[in-house]
Amino acid sequence: WPSGSSGVLICQETLEGPMTDMEQEEELLDAQEIKESISDVSTDASLSRHSLSEDDGLEASSPVEKPSWGLWCFHLVLYYSCVLLTAVVLSIRSILERLVAGKPATQKLERPKAKLSWDMLTSADDPAKLVREVLPIPPDFPVPKDPKEDFTVTFGPCANLMIYTGGVACCLQRCPNFADVKPKLRFRGNSSGAFIAATMAAEIEIMQLLPEMLSWTERFRNRLWGIVGACSASITEIVWRIFSRAECFEHAKSCLSIGVTTFTPLPGSLVAENFGSADELVTALLGSCYIPVAFEVPQWCSKHGPLWDGGICDFASQGDLVVSPFESVLPDIYPEEPYPKCFSFFPPHSADAVSLFEDGYMDCLRWLQQGAPARKATREETFHFTDQSSTRRLGPLLSEGKRFLLEIFRGHDSPDALKTHSKTE
């Protein structure tokens, strides 16, 4: 069975011999109290589900019942299929790594007027202090109009472009009135955006994570297949370092929502919130980031089975303020020009990594200086799924996936791709 160890879900590699009747009875009792080894994503009654198997317009808000034996078996097959597939693919990668060296990334972004550079940050005694001195202080965060309602800040799926959304988050945290506005904010994230949302909800200054960002970029720059098969190890340690601190969990548990994909048996979107423990929060966060093979450790929830990337059915994220590196989903803060699609799964050149961070910061700064224009009404009108066929929830992801494949096949260094990747202002 999937089991937990120090909060990190792992898979038993071998199964012991046949169990006695008493042992089988003990296993059933353990399954009923599985909380001891596997934490639920959430026990809150406000879990919401939008499943492809539901009728159009149906939105369930009641707690999800325990899966039937048939669904439970399907969950196990799906889970262990991911374990097996990952083991096979990463074994092939290990063999190829002995024969073929990883190709270092080449610089693709041109930023002649950039305020930051890789050399500046790596040579600084305190990179975070340098960034505070170099990048301008933003204006005030827009105060929510209705003080009785939460103002939701959503970070959409972004994969490796999480560096960009991290720059946006840094800018928001530097707003002079952010500490006063923070109690009125609710943070939501899907996929890698869940990490940024959770960090902000935990009241961690994201700028302090800059040294880790630099180290992460350096570590994987020459790795064969980039971060594919190394994501879990990279993010799990950081996540547990944050939420093993009681004060961080207390800050985040009631103001954080994380979108995950579950199977009933068709894929559907589920929102986890009001977390009862750090285990629940971390399991939901890692599950929201999980892409088979790319993340080498599958995530399991006793109530809902395997958890997959929250961006599968919720790529077009909703919220009062939406941050995404993909303009196609109509976010409020987004890049002026699209980035090379290869950035999504392959570590960028070190200079490009710094450019992504600064781009996010400066794009957020401009948004604030322009009076924080909102696209919420347009976004909801375009991607309001409750009155549409629920299969259309996959539309935004499939469209972006198509663009990704086209660029990969045509080559991200082609003239058509490169002409959108430079900024001169």
Side-chain angles (χ1 to χ4, degrees), residues 248-268:
C248 291
F249 172 70
E250 288 299 319
H251 290 317
K253 68 178 183 180
S254 59
C255 68
L256 174 65
S257 298
I258 297 176
V260 296
T261 296
T262 58
F263 298 85
T264 62
L266 295 179

Side-chain angles (χ1 to χ4, degrees), residues 71 83 128 157 166 172 254 290 305 308 311 356 395 407:
L71 184 58
V83 173
L172 293 177
S254 59
Y290 177 71
W308 280 29
L356 288 172
E407 182 172 311

Side-chain angles (χ1 to χ4, degrees), residues 42-49 60-63 271 273-274:
S42 176
T43 56
D44 182 64
S46 65
L47 286 177
S48 60
R49 170 179 293 279
S61 59
S62 57
V271 178
E273 53 191 11
N274 294 335

